[in-house]
């Protein structure tokens, strides 16, 4: 493994792990705040127990997310020094603001975890809300920095020098809103289905049924609403990609030829050599309609992109297809949930219904990983779209492959530790949570 591939692999590994922790850290505080609010309003102590149990999970993921995020910040300088030298002054603002949001989140989480019976009950609830809001802002700010890499603005490049730098314009680049919206909705969908799946499994095993049923419903509602909204955010994001990164869109769709009535490709195996897609379902004109709102206008194909500027087509296409397929699966399950909520409440007691959510536990995070693969691999060979190539930004320091092996071991160990802690936390839910004595909120 050469230096370049080792650096890319290490960054991919770090991002792949961190995105799981960050999604859960962004979203679960809102679950916690809702259950806390329901306890304050109803006085039902089961909601208080759900809040306390979830708060421990939030603390676990906050700690692991902080560690993995810190590693990523160091890796940017270690692995991509040329990139940071030029890009740091331009897109550094969202990273610095993200640090501020992180500190607010840490303080608020400390208040929440240790504030039981010490603060006014509504102020205590408010600190939990601040944890969620600051965590969500952290995610949005980081995504804004990544969006700048896909849609660089806020500077002029003159004779190889970056001048007239405007960090505010760079942060609010043309892609930041669509990309942040898509990522946030995906985080809610993935975390909602994952948490709901865990509680559905406990209900199926008849363990602490009242506790897990209430937790399941809160998480599922978040996940279902996000899954149904996700295609809308995906459409906004795809239109921005078509405008700013036509090579990425062409690779996503394995769209080799620019022609009227551009077809939407579903599935298939790209044959890059012969410029075709085998075993695919083609919907004539649908790609044109999705991009241009009419069926005839051509969508730029890979034939308009120099070969040296084309991203890896197969990887981008497969990742995109996986993301879309799993997103549609979650949306379908979300529709079933709404039917159960409004018309078929008996389904909530059916094993087949609960089993669907158990099977869907990892689906959202697989879709998130696939989506980030599309975002990063689809931008190649550029680290800054159209400005700087990834190969030109990598460190000249030798031996990066050893660092990659070391970090692989570290992240594997960290994952095992998180799984162990979460498993222990779930098993520690006491039977009394099902029939606690009523307490005054």
């Amino acid at each position: 493994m050469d230096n370049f591939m080792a650096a890319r692999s290490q960054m991919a590994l770090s991002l792949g792990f961190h995105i799981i922790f960050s999604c859960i850290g962004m979203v679960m505080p809102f679950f916690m705040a809702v259950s806390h609010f329901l306890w304050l309003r109803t006085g039902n102590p089961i909601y208080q127990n759900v809040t306390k149990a979830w708060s421990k999970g939030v603390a676990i993921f906050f700690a692991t997310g902080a560690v993995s995020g810190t590693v990523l910040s160091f890796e940017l300088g270690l692995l991509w020094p040329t990139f940071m030298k030029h890009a740091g002054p331009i897109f550094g603002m969202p990273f610095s603001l993200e640090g501020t949001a992180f500190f607010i989140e840490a303080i608020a989480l400390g208040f929440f975890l240790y504030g039981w019976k010490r603060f006014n009950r509504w102020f205590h609830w408010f600190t939990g809300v601040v944890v969620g809001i600051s965590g969500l802002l952290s995610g949005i700010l980081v995504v804004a920095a990544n969006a700048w890499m896909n849609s660089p603005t806020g500077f002029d490049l003159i004779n190889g020098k970056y001048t007239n730098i405007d960090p505010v314009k760079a942060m609010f680049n043309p892609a930041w809103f669509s990309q942040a919206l898509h990522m946030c909705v995906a985080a809610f969908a993935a975390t909602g289905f994952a948490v709901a799946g865990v509680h559905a499994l406990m209900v199926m095993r008849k363990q602490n049924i009242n506790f897990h049923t209430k937790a399941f419903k809160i998480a599922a509602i978040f996940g279902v609403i996000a899954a149904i909204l996700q295609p809308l955010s995906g459409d906004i994001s795809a239109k921005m990609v078509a405008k700013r990164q036509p090579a990425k869109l062409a690779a996503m769709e394995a769209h080799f030829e620019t022609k009227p009535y551009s077809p939407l490709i579903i599935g298939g195996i790209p044959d890059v050599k012969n410029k075709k897609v085998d075993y695919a379902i083609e919907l004539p004109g649908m790609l044109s309609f999705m991009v241009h709102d009419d069926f005839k206008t051509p969508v730029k194909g890979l034939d308009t992109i120099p070969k040296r500027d084309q991203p890896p087509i197969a990887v981008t296409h497969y990742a995109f297809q996986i993301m879309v397929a799993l997103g549609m699966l979650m949306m379908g399950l979300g529709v079933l949930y709404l039917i159960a909520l409004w018309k078929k409440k008996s389904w909530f007691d059916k094993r087949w219904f609960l089993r669907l959510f158990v099977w869907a536990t990892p689906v959202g995070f697989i879709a998130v990983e696939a989506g980030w693969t599309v975002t990063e691999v689809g931008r190649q060979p550029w680290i800054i779209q159209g400005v700087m190539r990834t190969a030109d930004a990598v460190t000249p320091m030798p031996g990066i492959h050893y660092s990659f092996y070391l970090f692989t071991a570290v992240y594997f160990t960290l994952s095992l530790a998180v799984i162990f802690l979460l498993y222990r936390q779930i098993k520690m839910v006491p039977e009394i949570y099902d029939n606690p004595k009523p307490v005054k909120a």
Side-chain angles (χ1 to χ4, degrees):
M1 182 183 295
D2 62 23
N3 229 32
F4 180 52
M5 284 307 299
R8 290 186 64 188
S9 299
Q10 183 172 327
M11 203 70 191
L13 174 77
S14 301
L15 280 169
F17 275 91
H18 180 67
I19 198 169
I20 303 285
F21 302 141
S22 59
C23 282
I24 298 174
M26 286 164 57
V27 172
M28 272 205 72
F30 291 101
F31 299 180
M32 181 180 74
V34 168
S35 61
H36 194 179
F37 177 81
L38 291 173
W39 172 61
L40 293 174
R41 293 291 294 178
T42 66
N44 187 337
I46 292 181
Y47 287 120
Q48 182 192 31
N49 295 332
V50 170
T51 303
K52 288 185 175 181
W54 276 347
S55 68
K56 293 176 182 177
V58 169
I60 292 171
F61 281 102
F62 178 82
T64 52
V67 172
S68 59
T70 302
V71 169
L72 270 171
S73 64
F74 283 115
E75 284 180 344
L76 282 173
L78 173 68
L79 302 177
W80 314 104
T82 305
F83 167 70
M84 291 304 297
K85 175 184 177 182
H86 296 289
I90 305 171
F91 82 148
M93 178 176 286
F95 278 125
S96 62
L97 293 176
E98 190 275 336
T100 303
F102 172 79
F103 284 122
I104 294 173
E105 182 183 7
I107 294 168
L109 181 59
F111 281 174
F112 186 84
L113 292 175
Y114 298 102
W116 292 98
K117 298 181 180 179
R118 293 181 174 87
F119 295 139
N120 172 277
R121 60 179 188 160
W122 286 107
F123 176 77
H124 184 224
W125 170 80
F126 176 71
T127 62
V129 174
V130 172
V131 174
I133 293 174
S134 55
L136 192 64
L137 284 175
S138 292
I140 291 172
L141 289 164
V142 170
V143 171
N146 180 267
W148 178 83
M149 296 165 67
N150 294 321
S151 181
T153 52
F155 67 96
D156 293 323
L157 184 60
I158 302 174
N159 298 324
K161 294 184 178 181
Y162 296 78
T163 60
N164 301 324
I165 293 173
D166 185 345
V168 175
K169 187 177 180 180
M171 183 168 67
F172 296 108
N173 59 81
W176 84 269
F177 175 77
S178 60
Q179 198 168 319
L181 176 66
H182 195 55
M183 183 66 242
C184 289
V185 176
F188 274 94
T191 306
F193 275 92
V195 175
V198 171
H199 291 292
L201 179 62
M202 295 298 105
V203 174
M204 287 179 60
R205 292 178 175 178
K206 301 187 183 302
Q207 297 181 10
N208 312 306
I209 293 177
N210 290 335
F211 173 89
H212 289 294
T213 297
K214 285 180 168 51
F216 165 77
K217 288 183 178 179
I218 294 172
I221 288 173
F222 272 99
V224 163
I225 293 173
I228 292 174
L229 293 176
Q230 186 68 315
L232 299 177
S233 71
D235 180 66
I236 295 171
S237 185
K239 282 182 167 60
M240 179 56 64
V241 169
K243 181 179 179 180
R244 309 289 299 192
Q245 297 177 289
K248 178 186 286 188
L249 180 69
M252 287 160 55
E253 292 290 342
H255 182 52
F256 289 99
E257 183 182 355
T258 304
K259 59 183 179 181
Y261 301 100
S262 299
L264 180 68
I265 303 294
I266 301 177
I269 301 174
D271 182 350
V272 178
K273 182 178 179 181
N274 295 307
K275 297 181 175 17
K276 64 177 183 175
V277 184
D278 297 322
Y279 314 111
I281 299 173
E282 291 193 12
L283 304 178
M286 283 304 298
L287 185 60
S288 292
F289 178 76
M290 293 174 70
V291 173
H292 300 296
D293 295 324
D294 72 75
F295 291 97
K296 186 176 181 180
T297 304
V299 175
K300 287 185 178 180
L302 290 163
D303 56 347
T304 66
I305 311 295
K307 190 171 182 179
R308 68 189 297 265
D309 294 338
Q310 293 180 7
I313 297 167
V315 174
T316 308
H317 177 71
Y318 293 141
F320 178 69
Q321 295 294 314
I322 290 170
M323 178 187 70
V324 171
L326 296 182
M328 296 303 292
L329 179 65
M330 288 190 292
M331 186 176 72
L333 187 51
V335 171
L336 277 180
Y337 183 89
L338 294 180
I339 293 173
L341 191 64
W342 289 331
K343 298 290 186 180
K344 299 285 187 180
K345 293 188 183 297
S346 61
W347 286 2
F348 288 113
D349 299 321
K350 303 294 185 182
R351 291 184 66 84
W352 66 266
F353 184 76
L354 293 170
R355 189 175 286 115
L356 288 176
F357 278 88
V358 173
W359 288 342
T361 299
V363 164
F365 287 117
I366 297 173
V368 167
E369 296 286 8
W372 270 99
T373 300
V374 172
T375 299
E376 296 304 299
V377 176
R379 191 180 60 247
Q380 301 307 311
W382 306 99
I383 192 168
I384 306 175
Q385 180 67 42
V387 176
M388 180 184 293
R389 292 181 179 271
T390 309
D392 297 333
V394 71
T395 178
M397 184 178 69
I400 294 298
H401 59 284
Y402 295 116
S403 174
F404 168 62
Y405 300 144
L406 174 63
F407 276 89
T408 300
V410 168
Y411 278 115
F412 180 74
T413 304
L414 185 62
S415 298
L416 292 179
V418 171
I419 292 171
F420 169 75
L421 290 171
L422 291 176
Y423 176 79
R424 189 179 69 169
Q425 179 60 32
I426 293 169
K427 296 296 287 184
M428 284 176 62
V429 175
E431 294 293 337
I432 197 174
Y433 276 21
D434 264 359
N435 299 289
K437 296 179 181 179
V439 295
K440 185 179 180 180

